[in-house]
Amino acid sequence: MTTTDIPPAVGAPARRALTAAGWTRLDQLTGVTERELRALHGVGPKAIGVLREALRQRGLRLDGDDTTA
């Protein structure tokens, strides 16, 4: 059983893609760019927006995101 804190609002296809890529926790995404996420089948703008907001709430961000935004 894999422990994950990826928000449920991220759709099932995106969650499966993230898990297949080895990313099951939000803190793992701080070293990942939006471009890398978008390259995964099933990860689209909605999933990225949900992930960004979840990261922001924890004081984290995707690699390459502007810290002033």
Side-chain angles (χ1 to χ4, degrees):
M1 180 94 185
T2 302
T3 301
T4 183
D5 64 354
I6 303 297
V10 173
R15 291 171 66 96
R16 285 191 298 269
L18 290 167
T19 299
W23 299 314
T24 59
R25 295 186 327 272
L26 288 171
D27 65 334
Q28 294 172 312
L29 299 179
T30 61
V32 180
T33 65
E34 178 181 341
R35 184 181 191 130
E36 289 173 290
L37 290 176
R38 285 186 184 267
L40 299 175
H41 182 74
V43 178
K46 179 185 175 207
I48 290 173
V50 171
L51 291 168
R52 271 201 172 109
E53 179 58 21
L55 287 164
R56 185 195 64 75
Q57 289 177 3
R58 294 175 185 215
L60 303 171
R61 62 186 174 89
L62 293 174
D63 189 25
D65 275 1
D66 186 357
T67 58
T68 61

